[in-house]
Amino acid sequence: MERVYRVVCPGSFDPVTNGHLDIIGRAAGLYDEVVVAVLINVTKQGLFTVDERVEMLNEVTRRYGNVRVEKFHGLLVDFCAANGISAVIKGLRAVSDFEYEMQMAQMNYRMAKVETLFMTTNPLYSFLRSSLVKEIAKYGGDVSGLVPELVLGRLRERLAQESPPGQE
Ligand code: ADP
């Protein structure tokens, strides 16, 4: 049987940014299939529901042709086992990401021999994280160029619903 080289790119993606997309796109060039796994975190409410995040990710990754978007809860290693995945790919933005990511990588290897590969961020996006995008957008700051056009529109819609003008 032919072997499929598959990698998982896990995260919250609330919402997907151009930094995420850069990593996903580069991984899609290296692997047969990239599975983007959106974490269902019951203790933390996001700006977008998990289904909305999945829908946006599906839309913006469609052009790659070999990216699949799923949601998951529980342990990433269990998701990997259930989906025939032996490696995780993570983007590293700065040294500050490293300590936490190294612990996770070593724990995942210890638990299930799941490997983690680190891809250095595109310097254009090394300062970018979803929470910062949301914070800036919330106060009317310009986040164009940091998230896909589709997400830009969704952010505007959502934030307009959340805080009607003059009602902070
Ligand atoms: P965040 O809320 O910080 O954007 P996520 O949990 O949604 O984080 O991100 C999932 C993963 O995507 C992160 O662990 C990181 O590996 C990667 N990532 C996020 N933003 C970037 C970026 N700007 N450049 C490279 N990788 C990134």
Side-chain angles (χ1 to χ4, degrees):
M1 210 174 69
E2 206 191 332
R3 185 159 175 195
V4 178
Y5 290 94
R6 196 179 280 128
V7 74
V8 64
C9 188
S12 308
F13 304 101
D14 184 37
V16 57
T17 68
N18 286 346
H20 295 130
L21 261 188
D22 182 74
I23 299 289
I24 295 167
R26 286 156 67 198
L30 293 172
Y31 280 84
D32 295 326
E33 187 177 41
V34 177
V35 181
V36 177
V38 183
L39 176 69
I40 303 170
N41 186 346
V42 283
T43 59
K44 204 171 144 202
Q45 216 208 327
L47 180 63
F48 295 98
T49 67
V50 170
D51 288 332
E52 287 170 330
R53 296 178 216 169
V54 167
E55 189 228 311
M56 287 187 270
L57 276 161
N58 267 322
E59 200 65 44
V60 299
T61 60
R62 201 184 307 282
R63 65 188 145 119
Y64 298 118
N66 61 340
V67 175
R68 179 155 63 88
V69 186
E70 302 281 350
K71 44 190 176 181
F72 82 105
H73 59 85
L75 296 178
L76 181 62
V77 290
D78 292 337
F79 178 83
C80 289
N83 287 274
I85 298 169
S86 54
V88 181
I89 197 152
K90 295 297 285 296
L92 275 189
R93 283 165 287 203
V95 185
S96 50
D97 280 345
F98 185 74
E99 203 172 341
Y100 173 78
E101 293 296 351
M102 195 174 70
Q103 283 174 4
M104 292 302 295
Q106 290 173 338
M107 187 58 94
N108 286 335
Y109 188 80
R110 183 180 187 275
M111 285 192 288
K113 300 263 183 308
V114 168
E115 297 283 6
T116 300
L117 304 165
F118 294 113
M119 193 175 255
T120 51
T121 183
N122 179 330
L124 285 175
Y125 307 125
S126 58
F127 55 90
L128 193 52
R129 60 190 155 84
S130 298
S131 51
L132 199 51
V133 165
K134 285 183 283 191
E135 201 60 20
I136 294 167
K138 186 171 143 189
Y139 294 107
D142 183 13
V143 292
S144 53
L146 304 180
V147 294
E149 283 290 320
L150 168 86
V151 174
L152 206 55
R154 296 290 170 88
L155 270 170
R156 286 202 190 107
E157 270 170 36
R158 181 55 43 93
L159 293 166
Q161 286 164 7
E162 285 217 330
S163 55
Q167 289 186 23
E168 252 312 295

